[in-house]
Amino acid sequence: VEFFNAYAQIGPALVERPHNASREVLDIDQSLIGSGDFFGIMRLDGLDPAIGWGSGATTGHTAVALRHKVSREEWKELRLDKLSGSEISSDEEEVLMVCESTVKNSYWDRDGVQCNLYDDWVEAAYRAGYQVVWSPLSPKYRKQFDAQKALDFFKTVQGLQYGYHNFLFGWIDTPRDNYPCMPPDYTTCVEWIHLEVLSILLDGHAGLAESMWLEALNKRVGTVGLRTIEVYKAAIDRGINLEMLPTIPERDSWLYNTTRDGSSARGEAMVCSTFVCRMWKAAGLFQEVGNEVNCGEFTPYDVYSLKVFDDDFAFPAECKEADPNNPSGCQIMGKYTLRLNEFNSREISAGMAELCPSLAQDTSDHKDVEAW
């Protein structure tokens, strides 16, 4: 909390919530949650605050709601029988799921791209110590969201490994304005040259280069299979300034060597915010710009700052009682307030999120980013 409030300097600050609110999961009417609704998440474990610090966001993780009728066959296909340990009682049943791209670790026992029943997800999130805010889509975008198309897309990516391949590249859009700066005066910042040298030194580390930057750099240069220093040489030979190399936008059409359910596979690389964006894209939220949006460029901030949410949603009374001054939605759990900076502030535009600065101490430039 101190790191996020004092060091990262991202507002609104994390503030401890009233005792009763911080110790409970808000039991809201689940019928109010619609397909496409957003869940912003922060776990105060070091990683989530670091992601927020680097990307200029007040969340470190994101997820999306999906409500759909599923048959007995789909129940098994979606692995809800194994994940929930139960069966549906009829041939077809409407279910509310929370879908995300995440990793298996000490507090989450399921790996990769997944959907879990809402009740199961909330229970696991509470055990994990999440702060969670629910933000409903506006009536326009709820109507536009095609849950069947979102479900169809999910089935094609279910079980894929978390998108380590584009973890850094959705973050870095500019030569200098995406790298974190150091206190006390925040005038000394990380620069690309630091990462360039570090990536060469770590190239031989088993699996690290392949997972985090090597394949992504090759795609940006138009090469295949080159090691880090070889990619840099090829980029120079092609006239690419090396500090501009990581700013080349990620393309949703790119496939990576990854895993699906632990086995080798070719597939999309999706961090949590990329996955939420891809679900929205598949469901039709970006049709007004001809789907000319590359979700691989989306950070958590880029997702929740989109002007697609309902500022006038009639939240149940318990939401306001638990957190009366949260403009970002309804916080359903967490010891600390979770409020989303510049929430619901940017209109959808083609090529958005591809040239955005994210210096944590100055996120005001985000709202002025124009289409690529």
Side-chain angles (χ1 to χ4, degrees):
V1 175
E2 183 179 356
F3 167 84
F4 205 72
N5 290 344
Y7 180 77
Q9 293 193 327
I10 301 171
L14 292 167
V15 179
E16 193 162 351
R17 302 170 74 211
H19 178 80
N20 289 341
S22 68
R23 298 294 187 269
E24 299 174 355
V25 175
L26 210 58
D27 185 19
I28 59 174
D29 180 356
Q30 293 180 27
S31 68
L32 297 173
I33 302 174
S35 282
D37 286 0
F38 171 79
F39 295 100
I41 301 153
M42 172 64 78
R43 185 175 191 268
L44 297 169
D45 58 358
L47 178 59
D48 275 13
I51 291 172
W53 170 53
S55 61
T58 49
T59 67
H61 186 47
T62 59
V64 62
L66 184 60
R67 182 184 294 279
H68 203 276
K69 288 184 177 180
V70 299
S71 64
R72 290 183 187 275
E73 182 180 346
E74 283 181 312
W75 182 267
K76 288 181 168 35
E77 184 182 1
L78 297 171
R79 304 169 196 167
L80 296 176
D81 56 336
K82 294 180 180 179
L83 294 174
S84 69
S86 63
E87 298 287 345
I88 56 175
S89 57
S90 58
D91 290 338
E92 188 177 66
E93 188 171 305
E94 183 177 271
V95 297
L96 174 62
M97 299 174 284
V98 178
C99 304
E100 62 191 326
S101 177
T102 189
V103 297
K104 183 177 180 179
N105 48 40
S106 61
Y107 59 87
W108 203 262
D109 62 2
R110 302 151 193 171
D111 198 36
V113 176
Q114 58 191 270
C115 285
N116 292 284
L117 295 177
Y118 176 83
D119 285 334
D120 294 341
W121 186 86
V122 164
E123 182 180 340
Y126 181 73
R127 289 198 308 268
Y130 284 0
Q131 336 297 309
V132 180
V133 64
W134 157 52
S135 303
L137 292 178
S138 69
K140 171 186 174 180
Y141 289 106
R142 275 197 172 184
K143 182 177 180 181
Q144 207 163 296
F145 189 96
D146 189 323
Q148 182 62 58
K149 289 181 178 178
L151 181 62
D152 290 344
F153 168 74
F154 171 77
K155 289 177 180 179
T156 69
V157 297
Q158 182 179 17
L160 285 177
Q161 183 186 38
Y162 177 81
Y164 296 107
H165 293 287
N166 73 352
F167 181 87
L168 296 174
F169 297 93
W171 177 343
I172 302 173
D173 292 341
T174 67
R176 295 178 182 84
D177 292 337
N178 294 113
Y179 301 106
C181 300
M182 307 300 148
D185 58 5
Y186 296 93
T187 59
T188 302
C189 304
V190 175
E191 298 180 11
W192 166 249
I193 187 64
H194 304 141
L195 300 185
E196 184 182 322
V197 172
L198 188 62
S199 64
I200 293 171
L201 293 174
L202 294 176
D203 181 85
H205 191 286
L208 180 63
E210 286 79 2
S211 295
M212 296 299 295
W213 66 81
L214 197 55
E215 198 170 354
L217 288 177
N218 270 277
K219 288 183 182 298
R220 283 161 172 78
V221 178
T223 54
V224 177
L226 299 185
R227 302 305 303 181
T228 304
I229 198 166
E230 296 171 329
V231 175
Y232 291 152
K233 182 179 184 305
I236 293 169
D237 291 344
R238 288 163 168 76
I240 302 173
N241 185 326
L242 289 187
E243 74 171 3
M244 297 302 294
L245 183 57
T247 74
I248 296 172
E250 184 79 9
R251 299 298 173 191
D252 287 350
S253 58
W254 288 349
L255 300 179
Y256 289 87
N257 292 316
T258 183
T259 62
R260 187 192 296 269
D261 300 323
S263 299
S264 297
R266 290 282 288 174
E268 293 89 339
M270 295 180 291
V271 296
C272 62
S273 48
T274 296
F275 172 72
V276 171
C277 178
R278 288 296 299 269
M279 289 285 278
W280 283 355
K281 186 176 181 178
L285 260 63
F286 303 129
Q287 61 189 24
E288 61 201 63
V289 294
N291 273 342
E292 292 297 321
V293 170
N294 279 304
C295 292
E297 287 293 309
F298 273 58
T299 65
Y301 167 88
D302 294 317
V303 172
Y304 64 68
S305 63
L306 280 182
K307 198 169 181 58
V308 296
F309 300 103
D310 190 351
D311 282 330
D312 300 315
F313 191 84
F315 287 106
E318 54 264 34
C319 291
K320 296 193 177 297
E321 289 170 5
D323 197 7
N325 300 309
N326 195 337
S328 311
C330 175
Q331 185 160 347
I332 61 177
M333 70 178 74
K335 183 178 180 180
Y336 294 91
T337 58
L338 181 55
R339 298 175 185 176
L340 311 178
N341 55 319
E342 298 182 25
F343 173 72
N344 202 30
S345 62
R346 297 188 304 146
E347 299 287 348
I348 294 173
S349 60
M352 67 185 309
E354 294 181 3
L355 290 171
C356 296
S358 63
L359 287 178
Q361 66 277 14
D362 182 9
T363 59
S364 60
D365 286 345
H366 273 100
K367 58 189 175 188
D368 298 320
V369 173
E370 298 294 335
W372 162 263

